[in-house]
Amino acid sequence: MTQTVPTPAPAPAPAGKQMLSEQVYARLRDAIMRGDYAPGDALKPQDIARQQGVSLAVVREALVRVVGEGLADRLPNRGFAVPAFSDRRWQEIAEARRTIEPVVLRMSVERGDVDWEARVRAAHHRLARTPAYVPEEGEYYSSAWSKAHRDFHRTLLEGCGNPVLLETFDRLWTASELARRWSAHRNPGRDGAEEHRLLEEAVLARDADTAAEVLIRHLTRTAAVLTGGSAPSDR
């Protein structure tokens, strides 16, 4: 009787390679966020591999992750590049966020409990107390402020209780991170702290209509600044 020999499962990637890929990915992501690369700059795997002392395979794996987060583009027959500054690109991201996030925020206001209210207050307090810029991180938002900013916006929506909607927020947030940073240079006088205060105030007052309106204005301002349009007024 003939015995069937089972096909061996594919061997997992060596732990060392995975660790190197993670390190290269983190460095690339940080470099793009810091503005070390200008919009449209090429991300050449050969150069990155030489600079970081790793193989091309490790670099390509890291680049694919960066592309998946919307922080780089994979161009047909041209390799990888930082996203070019494009009105259409950022308007599409802003449109998606304006369509989805106010709806989720309304759900949070309706469903969120007292613990959620406490988390919103704590997240806003941390954001308000975190410096947006620090000398050692250059002219872009500090990493601590960027994290506090994301945590505040995500906490606002967590009261909805729907993990699928929160995953959608996570993807859109990452894709729009560069837009927020570039926007800061176009409108340095923007009072983001006041916009966040108004958001917290409306949410904790359980005023879903006002909270949604404030959030839409907040999201629209970033896109308007990037594309040279006029931001909506508060009145």
Side-chain angles (χ1 to χ4, degrees), residues 147-166:
K147 182 180 185 305
H149 186 215
R150 178 192 179 279
D151 289 348
F152 172 65
H153 276 273
R154 197 181 198 281
T155 302
L156 289 175
L157 306 185
E158 285 175 353
C160 76
N162 186 321
V164 176
L165 289 172
L166 293 174

Side-chain angles (χ1 to χ4, degrees), residues 46-68:
Q46 295 89 343
D47 291 348
I48 297 169
R50 185 174 60 254
Q51 291 162 4
Q52 301 202 24
V54 297
S55 70
L56 277 175
V58 167
V59 172
R60 289 186 181 279
E61 187 175 315
L63 281 167
V64 167
R65 287 187 63 185
V66 175
V67 169

Side-chain angles (χ1 to χ4, degrees), residues 207-230:
D207 186 342
D209 289 340
T210 298
E213 289 171 7
V214 171
L215 180 58
I216 289 170
R217 286 199 303 270
H218 182 66
L219 297 175
T220 301
R221 280 193 175 97
T222 297
V225 168
L226 280 165
T227 58
S230 58

Side-chain angles (χ1 to χ4, degrees), residues 62-176:
L63 281 167
V64 167
R65 287 187 63 185
V66 175
V67 169
E69 290 193 340
L71 300 178
D73 291 331
R74 190 167 195 167
L75 309 175
N77 304 317
R78 292 172 54 199
F80 301 87
V82 176
F85 186 88
S86 162
D87 288 357
R88 179 178 179 182
R89 180 191 189 95
W90 304 127
Q91 289 291 355
E92 287 173 347
I93 293 172
E95 181 180 52
R97 293 189 66 196
R98 285 196 303 267
T99 300
I100 295 168
E101 290 183 33
V103 174
V104 183
L105 184 60
R106 284 180 177 276
M107 293 168 64
S108 283
V109 171
E110 293 167 2
R111 299 177 180 179
D113 57 15
V114 174
D115 288 341
W116 168 72
E117 288 184 1
R119 293 197 303 274
V120 168
R121 190 178 294 278
H124 179 257
H125 180 75
R126 185 175 295 108
L127 175 60
R129 299 295 187 194
T130 302
Y133 301 96
V134 293
E136 57 270 26
E137 293 193 37
E139 59 186 357
Y140 286 86
Y141 290 132
S142 71
S143 56
W145 186 89
S146 294
K147 182 180 185 305
H149 186 215
R150 178 192 179 279
D151 289 348
F152 172 65
H153 276 273
R154 197 181 198 281
T155 302
L156 289 175
L157 306 185
E158 285 175 353
C160 76
N162 186 321
V164 176
L165 289 172
L166 293 174
E167 287 170 8
T168 301
F169 164 83
D170 291 339
R171 288 194 297 272
L172 288 172
W173 183 272
T174 300
S176 63

